[in-house]
Amino acid sequence: MNWAAFLSNYIFAFIVLNVMLGLMAYMTYFERKVLAAMQDRVGPKRTGPFGLLQPIADGIKLLAKEDIVPKNADRLVFLVAPLLSFVLAPLSAAVIPFGGTVTVFGQEVNLYVADINVAVLYVLALGGMGVYGIILGGYASANRYSLLGALRSAAQVISYEIVLGLSLVGVFILSGTLSLVQILEAQQQPLSFGGVQVPNWYILSQPLGFVLFLIAAVAETNRAPFDLPEAESELIGGFHTEYSGFRFSFFFLAEYINMIAVSLLAATLFLGGTDGPIADGVWWLAAKAALFLFFYIWLRTTLPRFRYDQLMGLAWKVLLPLALINIALTGLIRLWGLGLL
Amino acid sequence: MSAEVLVFDILGAIAVLAAAGVVLARNPVHSALALVVSFVNVAAIYVILRAEFLAAAQIIVYTGAILVLVLFVIMLVDPDNLPEFHGGRPVQRLLALILGLALLGEVMAAILTRTIVGQPGPWSPQAVAAVGGNTQALGRVLYSGYVLPIQVTAVLLLAATIGALVLARPDTPRVRALVRDTATISLAHPRGSEMANGVEPALPALAAGQLKLEAGERTLVMAKSGDDFLDQPVWGERHQS
């Protein structure tokens, strides 16, 4: 076993994990600032310069609060559920390629934690596991609002996971691989049409797949306008009604980490990841992911929440058929169309 | 003992313990959770065997979808209302014990006598690497030699879906129409024109209300106050008995 490579991989994973956790804290700051700007307010500005210490103050506040367990709660499940959500959330960053290979102290370091040959399926599997945190948290609270939130979440995640998976099939058909590193490499080869160089980003060849992925990803992360599991106007707090202190913050943090991870995934799958017009590098990935994160917040300020039946109708009657059509079209083009070009 | 064998032993032990937990747990939700743990450990064993696709499919399909649906149903059932969940039905238990022991005996016999040692097929590690990995190899095998079974499975699942839709549909067109146009009861209330002269009129009697649509055979619950509703069991409520 190559211990140096193992160690360098481990250190890189450690860095990625900590960067994700730090970003997540400042994601809340970014969200509050953008929300404030869109609603003609100022947002946090008192704590530190430009309010930059606000996330830290929030974190200390949440950690210092009392951890309440309801009397009728299923105690063990209640205690474990938020941990499950939180532990699974940053794992999907492990397969995101942040660049190629660089040499540090004479040692080749891969700028990704793991190049799994089923990387995209791995991310989908993590999403499928992550919903357990919400379902179990809602069930264990012994509260009807929580249970309703959990049930909504179960139905919503199952419906939209199908759309999420199928929207990516077009990308697999074009790239011929499930590995994110190889999908990124495929996008880095520019296409040329009669001398005009066009980046081979899959958003250009898979526009429908991209839109479907974007919608399903917002639903998977339980963000507005698909935040029915925690719809505060109907369900108080939904699945996390009974949670307080740091257990609540685990759910909260998991949601933000999921947003960041999904944005990184979308940037890698459809926007060419670290590929850019000049000076390829991780900054392009960061810029593209920031674009998606801004889009998330933009959606939240703009759109009202879906009604529950509309949510299900959208997934099964609109998005699913569109995803299947996209797969069929992409398959046909892959079979015959590429020869015509 | 190599590291792989050690990891396999740990994963296998957890999977078996969790499987025992499925049967032994007294709360059905805990049973389902134990099954989740067991499935995840089995998926990890697939990863050791270099069957990454199978592992991901196991998690996505079984853990991420089927067990979520199982939990969905279990959470709506009150465990106290399941008298036959534990105990009772001695014949069934005896039969289950005998069949279980028979299955265990069969499997043990097959393992101990080494009669189920398979022959290595055409897909050696080199052949798998040549087509680009085990996902690609699996795809090639499934969509060349096994196209017909896959199509048959798909048709079977479609039939099951249609069957579920038919079962979930209300029986007759008449009932269906009634479910769609739910009967509304218009409770008597003062009209706007009566409010116009500034005097708030007295509420009309409840009897002045009308049933807007034919209600068919559906029972209508008329409640005078909120307490009337509370006499009926509310969904998800524990019964005191």
Side-chain angles (χ1 to χ4, degrees):
Chain A
M1 185 180 253
N2 184 355
W3 286 105
F6 184 73
L7 192 67
S8 70
N9 234 357
Y10 190 84
I11 292 170
F12 185 71
F14 185 77
I15 294 171
V16 168
L17 180 63
N18 281 286
V19 167
M20 288 288 283
L21 293 178
L23 277 180
M24 164 272 298
Y26 277 89
M27 180 63 209
T28 62
Y29 173 79
F30 179 61
E31 172 161 32
R32 289 176 69 172
K33 275 292 189 192
V34 174
L35 273 180
M38 287 187 175
Q39 295 166 350
D40 209 8
R41 294 185 286 118
V42 187
K45 64 180 280 237
R46 298 270 173 170
T47 328
F50 308 108
L52 274 171
L53 294 179
Q54 187 66 44
I56 296 166
D58 283 344
I60 294 170
K61 178 196 77 177
L62 281 170
L63 283 177
K65 277 192 170 180
E66 187 187 355
D67 179 26
I68 301 168
V69 181
K71 196 177 152 202
N72 288 335
D74 191 332
R75 199 179 162 81
L76 180 69
V77 180
F78 185 84
L79 298 183
V80 169
L83 298 178
L84 191 66
S85 267
F86 182 64
V87 168
L88 290 172
L91 286 182
S92 43
V95 290
I96 305 282
F98 294 94
T101 307
V102 292
T103 309
V104 182
F105 302 123
Q107 169 70 41
E108 295 220 325
V109 178
N110 294 324
L111 288 184
Y112 43 81
V113 179
D115 176 19
I116 312 178
N117 59 12
V118 289
V120 184
L121 292 184
Y122 164 82
V123 174
L124 292 179
L126 281 178
M129 286 299 291
V131 66
Y132 276 101
I134 294 176
I135 295 179
L136 295 177
Y139 154 76
S141 300
N143 175 326
R144 274 184 215 148
Y145 292 111
S146 301
L147 187 63
L148 280 173
L151 291 175
R152 282 184 176 188
S153 173
Q156 176 179 333
V157 169
I158 286 183
S159 309
Y160 279 87
E161 206 167 56
I162 296 171
V163 177
L164 192 72
L166 290 180
S167 70
L168 295 176
V169 172
V171 172
F172 304 152
I173 292 175
L174 290 181
S175 66
T177 175
L178 287 170
S179 151
L180 277 175
V181 174
Q182 286 171 29
I183 287 176
L184 183 61
E185 279 166 7
Q187 292 183 81
Q188 280 166 340
Q189 321 295 331
L191 300 174
S192 57
F193 293 102
V196 184
Q197 293 267 315
V198 181
N200 184 20
W201 296 357
Y202 288 130
I203 187 176
L204 298 175
S205 41
Q206 283 287 320
L208 183 57
F210 174 70
V211 171
L212 293 173
F213 176 83
L214 210 55
I215 297 173
V218 176
E220 276 280 297
T221 45
N222 289 329
R223 291 284 302 179
F226 299 104
D227 56 345
L228 282 112
E230 47 189 289
E232 66 273 4
S233 52
E234 314 159 24
L235 294 180
I236 308 182
F239 65 94
H240 59 55
T241 304
E242 296 288 351
Y243 280 91
S244 58
F246 74 99
R247 287 191 200 281
F248 164 72
S249 70
F250 275 168
F251 278 128
F252 189 67
L253 301 182
E255 181 178 318
Y256 280 86
I257 297 179
N258 277 331
M259 275 166 67
I260 298 175
V262 161
S263 300
L264 288 171
L265 188 69
T268 307
L269 280 171
F270 288 101
L271 287 187
T274 54
D275 185 37
I278 44 160
D280 289 5
V282 72
W283 35 87
W284 283 109
L285 180 65
K288 289 163 186 169
L291 200 69
F292 282 113
L293 291 172
F294 176 77
F295 178 73
Y296 263 109
I297 302 166
W298 189 13
L299 273 185
R300 180 180 160 180
T301 52
T302 313
L303 293 180
R305 185 177 299 125
F306 273 91
R307 216 173 56 210
Y308 189 67
D309 57 322
Q310 293 171 334
L311 173 95
M312 287 313 217
L314 179 70
W316 291 101
K317 294 180 191 161
V318 181
L319 298 181
L320 191 63
L322 282 177
L324 293 175
I325 290 171
N326 185 43
I327 292 173
L329 280 180
T330 314
L332 288 177
I333 288 172
R334 169 85 196 207
L335 261 184
W336 298 308
L338 289 184
L340 298 177
L341 285 178
Chain B
M1 189 158 63
S2 74
E4 254 176 31
V5 175
L6 183 68
V7 172
F8 169 79
D9 284 348
I10 296 171
L11 291 173
I14 297 175
V16 170
L17 284 178
V22 175
V23 190
L24 296 176
R26 301 201 71 85
N27 181 336
V29 172
H30 293 171
S31 283
L33 279 184
L35 200 55
V36 171
V37 174
S38 185
F39 279 173
V40 171
N41 278 281
V42 171
I45 291 174
Y46 290 151
V47 173
I48 301 181
L49 296 173
R50 313 256 163 208
E52 295 92 350
F53 183 82
L54 192 57
Q58 160 102 355
I59 301 257
I60 293 174
V61 176
Y62 287 96
T63 324
I66 292 180
L67 269 175
V68 169
L69 283 180
V70 169
L71 265 178
F72 191 105
V73 174
I74 291 176
M75 285 196 308
L76 290 174
V77 178
D78 189 349
D80 298 345
N81 284 352
L82 293 173
E84 286 154 16
F85 188 65
H86 285 287
R89 303 238 172 167
V91 181
Q92 266 189 6
R93 294 181 109 189
L94 191 67
L95 209 59
L97 188 69
I98 292 170
L99 287 176
L101 283 176
L103 183 65
L104 183 70
E106 265 178 58
V107 174
M108 290 305 284
I111 292 175
L112 293 177
T113 58
R114 306 248 168 197
T115 49
I116 53 162
V117 175
Q119 298 303 313
W123 289 98
S124 61
Q126 291 78 22
V128 169
V131 296
N134 86 40
T135 312
Q136 283 85 345
L138 198 65
R140 272 164 202 267
V141 173
L142 280 181
Y143 287 96
S144 57
Y146 293 89
V147 174
L148 187 65
I150 284 186
Q151 302 283 345
V152 170
T153 313
V155 171
L156 190 69
L157 288 174
L158 183 66
T161 312
I162 296 171
L165 284 176
V166 170
L167 285 179
R169 256 175 114 90
D171 308 329
T172 61
R174 189 180 143 74
V175 178
R176 239 177 274 153
L178 275 173
V179 169
R180 201 167 51 235
D181 313 316
T182 315
T184 56
I185 303 168
S186 140
L187 288 175
H189 54 83
R191 290 204 191 86
S193 56
E194 292 164 3
M195 301 280 285
N197 51 13
V199 187
E200 194 175 318
L203 279 173
L206 198 62
Q210 308 164 346
L211 197 58
K212 278 287 170 63
L213 195 91
E214 188 197 2
E217 296 101 66
R218 285 152 48 84
T219 36
L220 284 175
V221 181
M222 299 285 284
K224 292 186 204 74
S225 66
D227 291 339
D228 280 10
F229 276 112
L230 292 184
D231 290 341
Q232 313 193 357
V234 179
W235 169 81
E237 192 159 60
R238 278 170 193 275
H239 298 274
Q240 307 294 330
S241 55

